[in-house]
Each structure stands twice: as structure tokens, then as C-alpha cells.
């Protein structure tokens, strides 16, 4: 296994310069919500922010850096991603290794994602990796669900996920469901995840309501919240009625009616749309303009780059009925996100990146922001969801905003993404607890040159 130090060198990571504070001067400061502050200063000491705003007193011992023309914002926080599921174009438990996961976290970090929530299908290795990440020994911080809970002969589909026996529980009885929750809680899981739907009718059965209710009740009794994988409105209603805390995907079969939007708001349920899940199904095969940029291509492994460049693969992908289904689902998901956002429902940030080869870590998060703006959110609203609101969903009070005492988790970009969300792609550097990965992102040999 590569050491973290070796991975850090490969990804451009640098340790803070000595013990002196660092002042980022003349920045445009987006602190995690509201209008940006122009000509601001962010003062960093070690792993935390000392002060941020205008007229910040800077000690004479501080290293001053002129960041004129740059926007400094909190690092992005993904509330729904996966690690260790994919390597190149392969999916399966053989990819759940410390080296592969560290490399994936390094890629998230290069793209400004400083906190990753791996939402299920993890293996026992996850528990030690999470400890290392919290201690700053991995490129990005890591939270998540341990194994997660699916249904026998149901979701998540074994043919797609190829889950190992230590990677997923499929309880057949209420007693087994409660025991699965207890085992995950004993391992200090951050959340419990349930897969409820039939993946578009491709599976013979879905999780039974009594199992859903037992999992949620047991998790709540043990002080842990539950995220539910859903697709259709009917399943969303069922899990919310049972007490689910997070809808881990958007409702994509029909418009969400006002009364259900009101119920989500009243109950305080978090909604994570994962718009990029459906877009990625077709975008790479369609060669959407964003997929041809050096910024996007830099995120592809050589194996995945060869696949998306293969005309035969593209033709097969676009001829598959799933392509048309994905386009329809995305259109409905965009509509429902705007409905819920306008209704005041709690919106989290996630993409399902890392669960399948086309859901590319880092790039998926940038595309999610662009799609949120396409749905009708303003750039400021989208950035707020991806920073302070995403932190709030996970109960992380130490990040998501730039203020005194918060972690020095920052994303620095050229231009102003609060006015034009595309500026989020022009990365200068990212910070995680005071360590820096410099940009811009490298464009490897297989990247297209503009």
C-alpha cells in the first residue's frame, strides 16, 4: 500500500508553512451562505480559521498572501457518495482496499470536496479508515454508513453491486433487521442506510414495510438516523411515514405534491436529489460538452477514458432503454428539487459518486452544482446547499462555513461562482484542516486539449 505521504506528494499536497498564521488577503469571501464579502481576509492558524471578513487584524508574524481575484469558500461536503466500489471500469468488493480508497479521497480533494459521506456498502476496513481520516491522515475527511441494509432478492441488486458477505445486510425478519442495526451501531456507524425500491421494476421485490419500520425504530432507539434509497413518490411517502430522516435520492417518477412537500418540511426530513446520478448515465456517451473539457477528463482513469471514447460503447449505452429512462428521471428530479427548495424543505448535497464508474468522484459534485442551478436555484443557493447545509445534514458544526474556530476546510477558485457557477471549475487550491492541495488540476495524457 502507498503511504499517505506518498499519495499526498502525488496529489500536490503541502503541509502548512511552519507555525506562523497565514492570511489570505483581498479575497472574495463566500462564507457558506448569503452574499459574498469583497476585499476580505481569511486568517488561518494551523488547522482552523482564526477570523474571516473585512478589517481582520493580522498579526505581524503572519504570512500574507495576496489572493486578489480569487473566491475563498468552504470545502464542498458530499452527503451521498461511495468509496471502494469502483476501480477503473470494474465494480466489486475487490476494489475495497486502503490504497484505492485513499486515491479516491485524493481525487475528491483535488476537486475541492473536503468531506465525503460514504453512504453504505462499506466493509470492516471502513471503520479504521474513518479514524485515520478524522485524524487528518487521509486526503479528505470520511464519514458514512457501515454495511447498510437491503432486501433479500431485492435492492440493491446483487448483479450490479456484487456485494461481499461483509458488505451488506439483507434481513428476512424483523429480528434480523434489528440485529443488523445493532451491529452497525456497535461499529459506530454515522448513519443507517436502507435500500427500499425495486430499481425501476428490475427486482422481484422491495423491502417490506415492517422491515423498514423495524430498522428505523431500532436505529432511532440507538440514537442513529436513517437514510433511505428511494426512486418513486410512493416509496418516499412510506419511508417518511415510518420516520426516515433522509431521502438519499430524489423522487423521479412524478411531481411532488404540495402536501408531501409540507410534510417533509414539518418533519425536518433531509432531501438529497443526486441529480448527477441520472445525468451521468447518458452524458459521457452523448459526449456532452462538459465531458470533453480537460477539467472533466483529468478525473478519468485511463480505462474509463478508453471506454467513453469507444464509439461502440457509446452506441450501446444510448440504445439501452435505461438511457431514455435516465433522461426522464433527471427532468423530473430537477423539477422536484425546485419544488422542495421553494417549499423550505431541508436540501442536502450528494451525487452517488463512486457507486458506478460513470459517477466520477469530484466531477460529479461540480456537475451537481451546475444542475442545481439549471433546476432554478441561484448559484448562492446551490453553493449554500453544498457547504453549510451539507454540514448541517451530517451534524458537523466544525465545518461548512468560514468563521472563527471552524476547520480550515477551504476551496479557492478564480472568478466568482456566486454569480456564475461555472467558476467553481477553475480551482486554485483546496485546504483540509490547514493542509493545501495546489491547483490547477493536471490534465493527463488522455485529456482532450482545447
Amino acid at each position: 500500500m502507498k503511504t499517505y505521504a506518498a499519495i499526498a506528494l502525488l496529489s500536490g499536497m503541502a503541509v502548512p508553512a511552519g507555525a506562523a498564521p497565514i492570511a489570505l488577503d483581498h479575497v472574495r469571501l463566500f462564507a457558506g451562505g448569503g452574499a459574498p464579502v469583497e476585499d476580505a481576509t481569511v486568517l488561518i492558524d494551523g488547522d482552523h480559521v482564526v477570523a474571516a471578513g473585512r478589517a481582520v487584524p493580522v498579526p505581524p508574524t503572519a504570512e500574507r498572501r495576496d489572493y486578489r481575484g480569487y473566491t475563498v469558500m468552504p470545502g464542498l461536503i458530499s452527503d451521498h457518495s461511495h468509496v471502494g466500489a469502483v476501480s477503473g471500469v470494474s465494480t466489486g468488493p475487490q476494489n475495497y482496499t486502503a490504497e484505492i480508497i485513499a486515491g479516491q479521497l485524493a481525487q475528491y480533494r483535488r476537486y475541492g470536496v473536503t468531506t465525503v459521506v460514504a453512504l453504505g456498502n462499506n466493509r470492516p476496513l471502513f471503520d479504521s479508515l474513518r479514524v485515520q481520516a478524522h485524524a487528518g491522515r487521509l486526503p479528505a475527511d470520511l464519514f458514512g454508513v457501515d454495511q447498510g441494509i437491503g432486501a433479500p432478492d431485492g435492492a440493491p441488486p446483487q448483479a450490479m453491486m456484487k456485494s461481499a458477505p461483509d458488505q451488506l445486510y439483507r434481513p428476512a425478519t424483523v429480528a434480523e433487521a434489528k440485529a443488523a442495526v445493532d451491529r452497525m451501531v456497535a461499529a459506530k456507524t454515522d448513519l443507517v442506510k436502507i435500500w427500499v425500491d425495486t430499481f425501476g421494476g428490475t427486482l422481484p421485490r422491495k423491502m417490506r414495510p415492517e422491515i423498514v419500520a423495524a430498522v428505523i425504530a431500532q436505529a432511532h432507539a440507538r440514537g442513529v438516523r436513517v437514510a433511505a434509497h428511494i426512486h418513486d413518490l410512493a416509496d418516499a411517502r412510506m419511508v417518511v411515514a415510518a420516520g426516515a430522516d433522509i431521502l438519499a435520492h430524489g423522487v423521479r417518477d412524478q411531481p411532488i405534491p404540495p402536501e408531501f412537500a409540507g410534510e417533509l418540511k414539518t418533519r425536518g426530513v433531509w432531501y438529497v436529489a443526486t441529480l448527477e446520478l441520472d445525468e451521468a448515465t447518458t452524458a459521457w456517451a452523448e459526449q456532452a460538452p462538459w465531458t470533453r473539457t480537460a477539467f472533466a477528463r483529468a478525473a478519468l482513469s485511463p480505462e474509463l477514458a478508453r471506454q467513453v471514447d469507444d464509439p461502440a460503447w457509446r452506441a450501446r449505452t444510448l440504445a439501452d432503454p435505461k438511457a431514455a429512462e435516465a433522461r426522464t428521471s433527471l427532468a423530473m428530479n430537477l423539477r422536484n428539487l425546485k419544488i422542495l427548495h421553494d417549499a423550505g424543505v431541508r436540501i442536502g448535497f450528494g451525487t452517488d459518486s463512486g457507486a458506478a464508474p460513470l459517477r466520477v468522484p469530484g466531477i460529479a459534485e461540480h456537475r451537481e452544482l451546475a444542475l442545481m442551478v439549471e433546476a432554478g436555484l441561484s448559484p448562492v443557493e446551490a453553493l449554500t446547499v453544498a457547504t453549510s447545509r451539507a454540514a448541517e445534514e451530517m451534524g458537523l458544526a466544525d465545518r461548512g462555513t468560514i468563521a472563527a474556530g471552524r476547520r480550515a476546510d477551504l476551496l479557492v477558485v478564480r472568478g466568482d461562482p456566486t454569480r456564475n457557477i461555472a467558476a467553481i471549475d477553475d480551482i486554485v487550491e483546496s485546504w483540509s484542516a490547514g493542509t493545501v492541495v495546489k491547483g490547477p488540476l493536471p490534465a493527463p495524457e488522455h485529456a482532450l486539449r482545447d
Side-chain angles (χ1 to χ4, degrees):
M1 171 185 169
K2 290 185 178 72
T3 65
Y4 172 50
I7 292 169
L9 288 171
L10 288 171
S11 60
M13 184 172 290
V15 296
I22 298 172
L24 309 182
D25 285 328
H26 306 298
V27 306
R28 178 182 301 104
L29 173 64
F30 174 72
V37 177
E38 299 290 343
D39 198 24
T41 296
V42 178
L43 182 62
I44 301 161
D45 190 359
D47 62 359
H48 67 282
V49 174
V50 175
R54 286 185 180 149
V56 168
V58 177
T61 56
E63 175 192 344
R64 306 196 75 142
R65 301 179 184 177
D66 189 341
Y67 274 27
R68 205 179 311 264
Y70 295 168
T71 297
V72 177
M73 58 176 285
L76 304 178
I77 298 171
S78 173
D79 292 323
H80 186 166
S81 291
H82 293 271
V83 297
V86 172
S87 180
V89 295
S90 75
T91 302
Q94 73 278 4
N95 299 323
Y96 209 92
T97 69
E99 182 175 352
I100 286 174
I101 292 170
Q104 290 168 344
L105 293 176
Q107 175 152 310
Y108 278 114
R109 175 68 184 285
R110 288 194 298 273
Y111 281 84
V113 182
T114 54
T115 300
V116 175
V117 181
L119 208 62
N121 234 43
N122 291 302
R123 306 189 79 176
L125 174 62
F126 174 77
D127 298 323
S128 61
L129 291 177
R130 180 174 47 188
V131 171
Q132 293 178 49
H134 292 349
R137 296 197 295 271
L138 287 173
D141 207 356
L142 181 64
F143 296 84
V145 177
D146 276 36
Q147 291 84 357
I149 299 175
D153 300 322
Q158 182 63 21
M160 181 180 77
M161 302 297 290
K162 304 179 179 66
S163 300
D166 62 357
Q167 212 163 6
L168 183 71
Y169 296 114
R170 295 187 185 270
T173 66
V174 165
E176 289 176 357
K178 290 181 177 180
V181 170
D182 288 342
R183 284 192 289 271
M184 288 198 298
V185 172
K188 301 183 179 179
T189 189
D190 296 300
L191 299 165
V192 168
K193 164 91 171 280
I194 52 175
W195 283 264
V196 173
D197 65 296
T198 60
F199 278 61
T202 62
L203 300 171
R205 58 184 56 84
K206 64 177 63 174
M207 183 175 286
R208 303 197 313 274
E210 63 267 28
I211 299 294
V212 172
V215 169
I216 293 173
Q218 188 71 2
H220 288 176
R222 302 295 304 274
V224 177
R225 296 177 302 148
V226 178
H229 176 116
I230 56 93
H231 183 284
D232 294 350
L233 178 61
D235 290 331
R237 287 184 182 277
M238 185 266 287
V239 298
V240 168
D245 305 281
I246 300 166
L247 293 179
H249 293 285
V251 171
R252 287 161 279 168
D253 67 325
Q254 58 184 293
I256 292 177
E259 51 86 12
F260 187 55
E263 183 179 359
L264 293 177
K265 180 180 179 181
T266 299
R267 288 176 174 266
V269 175
W270 286 91
Y271 185 91
V272 184
T274 63
L275 302 164
E276 175 56 14
L277 182 159
D278 286 311
E279 188 195 45
T281 302
T282 60
W284 295 99
E286 291 170 336
Q287 294 192 325
W290 66 264
T291 68
R292 296 178 60 80
T293 64
F295 182 76
R297 298 282 301 197
L300 303 184
S301 67
E303 298 89 349
L304 185 55
R306 286 192 293 271
Q307 176 176 283
V308 302
D309 289 339
D310 179 6
W313 174 85
R314 294 202 305 271
R316 287 194 306 273
T317 299
L318 296 177
D320 191 315
K322 291 180 181 177
E325 294 168 5
R327 294 188 193 97
T328 301
S329 290
L330 175 59
M332 186 58 67
N333 209 355
L334 290 163
R335 178 178 178 180
N336 281 333
L337 174 61
K338 185 65 162 64
I339 288 171
L340 296 183
H341 183 268
D342 289 352
V345 173
R346 295 176 170 182
I347 307 296
F349 184 71
T351 65
D352 208 25
S353 56
L358 296 177
R359 301 171 203 166
V360 182
I363 280 295
E365 285 66 37
H366 284 252
R367 283 303 303 162
E368 190 79 12
L369 286 166
L371 289 169
M372 291 171 75
V373 172
E374 182 181 326
L377 278 66
S378 72
V380 166
E381 289 169 337
L383 293 170
T384 300
V385 167
T387 56
S388 59
R389 297 296 277 172
E392 184 182 347
E393 180 187 327
M394 288 302 298
L396 302 174
D398 63 342
R399 68 197 74 191
T401 58
I402 300 176
R406 298 293 198 275
R407 280 172 56 107
D409 287 4
L410 312 173
L411 174 57
V412 183
V413 301
R414 294 178 182 84
D416 186 359
T418 69
R419 296 175 62 88
N420 179 3
I421 199 63
I424 198 73
D425 293 353
D426 197 353
I427 295 174
V428 176
E429 64 192 24
S430 69
W431 295 62
S432 178
T435 63
V436 185
V437 169
K438 287 289 187 181
L441 289 163
E445 288 303 311
H446 58 270
L448 295 179
R449 301 295 191 258
D450 296 328

